Amino acid sequence: MAAGFASSVREFLTTDKDHIVGRLVTAIANSGFESQQSRQIRVWAEEVDVLKTQLRLLVCEDPRVGLWHIILEYEIPRRQKRPDVIFLAHDIVMVLEFKFAATSFEASSRWQAEDYALNLRDFHAESASRRIIPILCAADAKLPDAMQNFLLSDSVANLQTTNSEKLGACLKRCFDAFQRKQEMPIQADEWLNSAYRPTLTVIEAAERLYDRQDVREISHSYAENLDKTTDMLMNIIAGSKAQRKHTICFVTGVPGAGKTLTGLNVVHDPAIRSKQGPSGIFLSGNGPLVKIIREAIVQNQMRQGHKRRECKYEVEIFIQNVHTFLSHHHENPDAVPHEHVVIFDEAQRAWDRKQMRRKRSLDISEPAQLLEVMERFSDWAVIIALVGGGQEIYLGEAGLEEWGRALLSSQKKWSVVASPEALSGGASVADHRLFDDQTALNMEVVAEPLFHLSVSVRSHRAQLIAEWVNALLELDTIRTFEKLPDTREFPVVVTRDLEDARRWLRLRTFSDRNLRCGLISTSEDQRLRAYGLEASSNFRSDYPFEKWYLAGPDDIRSSFQLEVAASEFECQGLELDWVGVCWGGDLTPDETGEEWEYRNFRGSKWQRCRQAVEQEYIRNRYRVLLTRARCGMVIWVPPGDESDPTRDPHRFNRVYDLIKAAGVPNLEISELE
């Protein structure tokens, strides 16, 4: 039972206060937390006094209240979150957060109570179909004259606020408003022992897989097809081996849908790995992603008592850099890879022939080279290409079409199993297509719906953000206004003040050290330096971004410090809970507001970008930046400076007006007070 104390309200009222507080102290100590300070014990004692007083009055008024179940300090698994009080009132879950000595309902406290309720809805199995009411009790606050409404959003009511004196009345009003007599009451034991399946970050998933732990528990109701996609890929691998054929799979998905997680699971599934070792090689051209995942795993192993040198080599095998892999096999033309299966993450970023000539002095694209390497197997081989949409952000990234060209020109006959989006050019791949209309008739091409991951597992609350971002980058203000997520579910705000953005991010993560915040920005705007944000390549090459992503709030190198902004290159494929997007001068609307103006900063001034491919890279840059958040984001638009021609305020004003027209509210100072 993951709670400090749990009983019926009737039993709670007859239990001695000191016994209840003692149970809380013991439970928290047993959970691995440090012993509680005397201040926390006094708060618990005061909390129990308030609850006993208010609940006695309620039971006298309505004896049914005695049948409610009260839970103190319920531990939300793996997140170190502990709502103060949870009431299971017939078919209703009420989540109560106390703030003693508080005379107002501060924004951070409101967010904390709402976050508890949303987490239970999203990930707690026994709460998923129930009505949930977040309540904030600021003990000494003055209540407004008007009663708060109970608007529901997908089973979670608006936050209710109360003080100690009116707490009982608030609980009764919530119960009367939401109780449905025809519903089956919540069984306390089942609720307390319910499965809790929070989504894993890519880093958390990699750590668990490396430890040979299953990650399929993330398959909650918002990610139904993730397991099915993994199983289908496993079946194709088994079928290719049995039929002795070469197969290539193209898996697409919206940002945060779990493409990387799926690939890692295919290669390192614990059930298969325990019998035969890794079933394939996981390759990525995303250097920062590879570096950060490796370092996270090494640190996790060191916490378990291993020495860095002992685990570093094996970790380097766990996830490999695709460029290094291909260079090795070019230098060893007779070498056959160790595994028959290769996962290529962010496959749309593979280099085209021109980039390969520039970087490797080879007259062949990376897709064609990988096909050639895997064709060295005379019996069978499988390539699984994980494809993101509209995320080519660097010169020479070939896109989906280069894979089609490489397959059509290959000497080996490959069987192709692809997401319908990859074949037809859907929104998730920004309308790119594997083949044009003249697809070779002699190729076996199968459309597999399970190979499109349509639901974000980064966060249920971020489901619509990718569609909103696409509409924004198309300058479709009507559609952006329609697609903007519910700002309570996924808060998005805009500000012209960078310090306000920092304060907003700090408040959002203040009450939960498991939530990470950080600034991200375009790599192209060197003039962000005027605001204290360095974007030069020399600075970035020396900065330890593994510390930025992995270190805690007390480390000055961590993202929590909000001093260094990660660029689109450092954050692609990764995510943060709360994000501050710093808009640059490289993408601003023209004076009509109907077209973008694309620019690169060279030397001491801006230059217009006129080539379509460069313009696409700039748009994709912002597609990456605007889809990194799991919980919400603040967009900072610089104010500019009339005296500095490189920071034209009129351009930034147009950006700000566009974001406002797209439905994004201003960051209000009242949220920060």
Side-chain angles (χ1 to χ4, degrees), residues 277-289:
S279 59
I281 307 169
F282 188 95
L283 302 176
S284 176
N286 186 338
L289 176 74

Side-chain angles (χ1 to χ4, degrees), residues 643-660:
S643 65
D644 184 350
T646 66
R647 292 186 288 143
D648 180 2
H650 302 291
R651 288 182 176 275
F652 290 116
N653 290 343
R654 294 198 292 270
V655 173
Y656 174 75
D657 291 341
L658 170 67
I659 294 172
K660 288 284 293 177

Side-chain angles (χ1 to χ4, degrees), residues 30 160 168-169 197-198 202 221 242 278 302 336 356 447 454 487 503 534 565 599 602-603 607 640-641 665:
N30 290 340
Q160 302 299 298
R197 299 187 176 99
V202 172
S221 58
M302 290 172 66
V336 178
M356 286 289 280
S454 59
T487 54
R503 291 170 64 196
E534 181 57 64
R599 303 190 302 168
R602 298 291 180 266
Q607 295 179 357
D641 187 340

Side-chain angles (χ1 to χ4, degrees), residues 399-414:
L400 190 56
E401 292 83 355
E402 183 61 37
W403 285 93
R405 288 190 288 269
L407 284 165
L408 291 173
S409 61
S410 175
Q411 296 181 358
K412 177 76 71 172
K413 184 178 179 180
W414 285 80

